Amino acid sequence: MLDAKLVTKSDATQQTIVHLSNQVAIGGQKVVIFGGPCTVESMAQMEAVASSLQTAPVQAIRGGVYKPRTSPYAFQGMGLEGLEILASVRQRYGMPVVTEVMAISQIEEISAYADMLQIGSRNMQNFDLLKAIGQANKPVLLKRGLSATIEEFVMAAEYVVSHGNPNVVLCERGIRSFDPYTRNVLDLGAVVALKQITHLPVIVDPSHAAGKRELIADLSRGAIACGADGLIIECHPEPEKSVSDARQALSLPDMVQLVHSIKPVAEAVGRQVYEFQRQLVVA
Ligand code: PEP
Ligand code: MN
């Protein structure tokens, strides 16, 4: 692993636990599930998401407000207005939120609203952004680059940790290959390897890996069986109307059903799921 010093394991039992809130920790006995749309689109959309997921149980909400789109003509995200929607849902439903940071200039603003900062695949080797996020005071969700090797991924995490932020969660989200049938190839081998190499929590995003909603439930269960510390899954109140990544968005009932199916798999590999009933925090 090149010269990684801080993120590699010194012994097999070493494990970092990243706290998202007083109640939610990633990397411990319990697997953590993040759910939400690719893109924050409206307050009504996020209300629908949070109210169905709150008791699912899903422990954290995802939703992009600064979106890395392939086309410059595609919707680029709601920006600050989207952050305000996330903050409102976060407070009213008592659920932590994660959202993507695309630029150094966004770190301060997003840190004021979100519990966790996502570095997207397209920025996994944006070294200046990694250094700056290393100085942020929030946990980081670092997604694997579209074609990044395991070593490059580990070294990207080393950038963040060596610049001062130890709270990094790795996310395997599929890698590019030759077959267009799936959007990417979910690399569960990398999940197993990363768990052996690093003490950082590793979660799986089956949505961006598969690109097709009908593949996501089985891949989610497979990921937990392979030792992943959690899942981040895209879902939407009206999946076909999603402004981005519609083909991979689960309906909310399908998301709830999937989440309930994780429990026996987690238990089979010595893990648990969160079952607490969250208390509503009223504004
Ligand atoms: C996302 O999480 O919506 C996203 C853009 O993911 P990735 O960076 O893995 O493509
Ligand atoms: Mn997406």
Side-chain angles (χ1 to χ4, degrees):
M1 265 316 117
L2 283 175
D3 52 357
K5 298 179 182 70
L6 302 172
V7 303
T8 44
K9 268 184 173 165
S10 51
D11 71 83
T13 60
Q14 192 187 357
Q15 176 64 49
T16 290
I17 298 189
V18 173
H19 293 272
L20 269 192
S21 69
N22 289 340
Q23 291 166 305
V24 181
I26 313 174
Q29 269 292 108
K30 292 180 177 167
V31 299
V32 173
I33 302 175
F34 291 74
C38 182
T39 303
V40 174
E41 298 165 24
S42 66
M43 183 67 91
Q45 171 217 29
M46 293 309 294
E47 279 290 345
V49 168
S51 59
S52 330
L53 300 191
Q54 193 193 29
T55 53
V58 168
Q59 294 74 50
I61 299 272
R62 62 147 291 144
V65 301
Y66 293 107
K67 294 300 301 178
R69 305 304 302 280
T70 301
S71 167
Y73 309 115
F75 182 59
Q76 302 286 307
M78 289 184 84
L80 182 58
E81 197 186 343
L83 286 175
E84 282 164 358
I85 292 173
L86 282 176
S88 162
V89 164
R90 171 185 183 276
Q91 196 194 9
R92 284 180 296 112
Y93 291 86
M95 296 174 84
V97 300
V98 60
T99 196
E100 180 164 350
V101 175
M102 285 174 51
I104 295 174
S105 58
Q106 296 163 353
I107 295 175
E108 202 179 316
E109 178 192 68
I110 295 178
S111 296
Y113 292 88
D115 301 279
M116 188 177 213
L117 310 176
Q118 175 172 326
I119 300 288
S121 292
R122 291 153 193 81
N123 276 315
M124 190 207 80
Q125 284 190 316
N126 180 338
F127 297 115
D128 280 349
L129 182 59
L130 297 178
K131 290 178 192 172
I133 218 92
Q135 282 159 33
N137 200 15
K138 292 282 173 182
V140 175
L141 181 63
L142 179 63
K143 300 191 84 175
R144 184 179 183 181
L146 306 174
S147 300
T149 65
I150 292 172
E151 182 167 80
E152 287 164 343
F153 191 18
V154 169
M155 294 314 293
E158 185 83 11
Y159 260 92
V160 180
V161 177
S162 66
H163 281 78
N165 191 340
N167 297 311
V168 177
V169 175
L170 302 174
C171 179
E172 159 58 32
R173 46 77 75 205
I175 47 174
R176 284 228 163 143
S177 188
F178 57 87
D179 190 343
Y181 185 81
T182 54
R183 186 175 179 184
N184 292 287
V185 173
L186 180 60
D187 187 0
L188 290 180
V191 174
V192 178
L194 288 164
K195 291 291 296 175
Q196 291 176 4
I197 296 164
T198 90
H199 51 79
L200 299 175
V202 180
I203 71 167
V204 166
D205 172 349
S207 304
H208 291 88
K212 289 189 160 130
R213 65 175 64 83
E214 62 273 26
L215 301 180
I216 291 169
D218 284 324
L219 292 175
S220 299
R221 293 184 283 264
I224 296 302
C226 282
D229 294 299
L231 297 163
I232 181 165
I233 299 171
E234 288 186 347
C235 54
H236 192 288
E238 296 175 287
E240 342 32 62
K241 294 193 183 152
S242 304
V243 304
S244 56
D245 290 349
R247 183 66 185 83
Q248 70 200 34
L250 293 181
S251 68
L252 297 173
D254 285 352
M255 177 71 180
V256 171
Q257 196 184 1
L258 185 170
V259 171
H260 284 292
S261 78
I262 297 298
K263 183 177 174 180
V265 181
E267 288 175 353
V269 293
R271 309 291 290 269
Q272 285 137 28
V273 293
Y274 278 88
E275 291 189 72
F276 61 82
Q277 196 71 31
R278 215 169 280 100
Q279 287 209 316
L280 269 186
V281 183
V282 181

